[in-house]
Amino acid sequence: MTATTLDPAASPATLDRIRAHLVGLNMPRALEVLEHILRRIERGEISALEAIDTLLGEELTLREGRRVRSALKMGRLINIKTLGGFDFSFQPSLDRDRIMALAQLDFVDRHEAVHFLGQPGCGKTHLALALGVEAVKSGRSVYFATLADIVSSLAKAEREGTLRERLRFLCRPQLLIVDEIGYLPVIPGGGNLFFQLVNARYERGAMILTSNRGFAEWGDVFGGTVVATALLDRLLHHAVVVQIEGASYRLRRHADLIPDNTRTRSITTPQPQPRRRGRPPKMTSTQPDTDL
Ligand code: ADP
Ligand code: MG
């Protein structure tokens, strides 16, 4: 604590001018805390430097909170999940350090794809959202949507002659999260439309994809092996595959009601390696022997 008395120059006129500056600079939070900070200076609780620090810090915190809230909304990250809220002890197959390394977001800057694979309820969407929230906090742009939403928006744009614009819109965010691949087969022509998006983002923007189906089943999901192979070609080239072997968190209190064979089944099945170009794939997994 540094004892400081208010500068005698801090006359009412000076204080009025400071208030007017804060209004002019659009600093509502600083204006709000000004009186309190002045009292603390008077009481000798903080120095002048600490007062400036607190004033600016309060304003910055307000702005940062606003920026994050607005970016989360724009990116459709409505249902907020955090890494802190993820119980890693419930998913022993999941390497916590590996997820924390992903939270450093280098994969976003390297334009890679991260796949979360596993049974319903094992935490795929939670982890995807949590990484999305980290990306927003760090100032990176993110957009979250289900595969069904993306495909239907592309199909609508195609009907209306605005497909190029829609593709451009979906290429803009640094991180695109595509949730729920495999719950429903895509609409006819949807595989092709999704391929156009994936191809447009390939090596230009990062993606997180969640799926309850193994890659070998993508032919069924996307309406044909040709389009599925082309998709996987791009989506597995610079990719991180995280297989979650565990059971549903939603059903954790009712595990005894679920048949054994659906409880902790791995969903990846061996399949031929897709054609690749350029540098070798960086596929890693918590269960390397069972992947691909
Ligand atoms: P999935 O997308 O794999 O079907 P979700 O990520 O939607 O599953 O998880 C289902 C629900 O359980 C969500 O509310 C999620 O927050 C929660 N959940 C899942 N796994 C965990 C976990 N390990 N710790 C805490 N909450 C979890
Ligand atoms: Mg999900």
Side-chain angles (χ1 to χ4, degrees):
M1 270 200 289
T2 317
T4 313
T5 51
L6 260 189
D7 189 324
S11 63
T14 310
L15 289 175
D16 283 348
R17 222 172 29 250
I18 291 175
R19 285 190 196 96
H21 287 331
L22 294 179
V23 171
L25 287 166
N26 193 16
M27 296 174 71
R29 181 62 189 159
L31 188 64
E32 201 173 276
V33 296
L34 180 65
E35 294 303 324
H36 176 69
I37 289 175
L38 291 176
R39 297 290 84 76
R40 293 194 67 199
I41 298 178
E42 274 176 350
R43 290 200 296 268
E45 290 171 8
I46 53 172
S47 68
L49 269 185
E50 284 165 334
I52 295 173
D53 184 32
T54 310
L55 198 77
L56 297 179
E58 286 281 339
E59 185 62 39
L60 191 66
T61 305
L62 175 86
R63 287 188 188 190
E64 191 54 13
R66 264 195 210 145
R67 181 194 69 76
V68 168
R69 272 195 303 280
S70 137
L72 289 172
K73 211 165 140 196
M74 296 260 298
R76 304 267 166 106
L77 291 154
I78 314 288
N79 184 14
I80 302 299
K81 298 284 177 181
T82 61
L83 288 173
F86 194 83
D87 179 3
F88 283 89
S89 68
F90 185 77
Q91 294 297 356
S93 81
L94 201 57
D95 181 350
R96 187 178 184 279
D97 292 344
R98 198 155 162 249
I99 302 299
M100 290 311 182
L102 286 173
Q104 298 300 306
L105 304 170
D106 294 339
F107 78 94
V108 178
D109 304 335
R110 290 197 297 253
H111 309 155
E112 293 178 354
V114 173
H115 297 262
F116 287 115
L117 305 178
Q119 295 296 314
C122 70
K124 303 180 296 296
T125 302
H126 186 130
L127 291 172
L129 284 167
L131 290 177
V133 169
E134 289 303 315
V136 164
K137 282 206 248 168
S138 75
R140 293 166 174 91
S141 52
V142 180
Y143 192 77
F144 174 94
T146 62
L147 175 67
D149 284 347
I150 286 178
V151 167
S152 75
S153 85
L154 290 172
K156 180 167 176 279
E158 191 180 38
R159 282 196 305 276
E160 294 170 354
T162 57
L163 184 58
R164 277 167 64 105
E165 286 75 12
R166 187 67 196 163
L167 285 169
R168 214 175 296 140
F169 172 83
L170 290 169
C171 282
R172 229 177 278 150
Q174 288 164 284
L175 172 62
L176 177 68
I177 303 176
V178 183
D179 198 27
E180 295 189 356
I181 294 176
Y183 282 97
L184 297 167
V186 297
I187 54 174
N192 251 311
L193 288 168
F194 187 59
F195 172 75
Q196 290 188 52
L197 172 62
V198 166
N199 200 37
R201 287 190 63 93
Y202 175 62
E203 295 189 332
R204 289 194 205 114
M207 293 176 77
I208 296 179
L209 305 105
T210 82
S211 183
N212 63 334
R213 306 280 291 270
F215 296 128
E217 296 174 72
W218 276 33
D220 299 337
V221 176
F222 289 99
T225 50
V226 174
V227 70
T229 306
L231 277 170
L232 288 170
D233 181 53
R234 271 69 171 179
L235 290 172
L236 291 178
H237 185 192
H238 313 293
V240 176
V241 179
V242 180
Q243 166 81 56
I244 308 172
E245 302 285 346
S248 171
Y249 189 84
R250 291 190 190 101
L251 301 175
R252 64 197 180 286
R253 296 201 185 87
H254 309 288
D256 49 328
L257 303 178
I258 307 163
D260 269 355
N261 63 342
T262 60
R263 229 180 264 167
T264 60
R265 193 157 44 93
S266 167
I267 59 161
T268 43
T269 42
Q271 65 147 44
Q273 292 277 319
R275 176 180 60 86
R276 290 199 190 89
R277 298 174 300 270
R279 59 180 150 114
K282 253 187 292 156
M283 281 183 292
T284 48
S285 163
T286 46
Q287 300 279 324
D289 293 336
T290 62
D291 268 358
L292 296 165

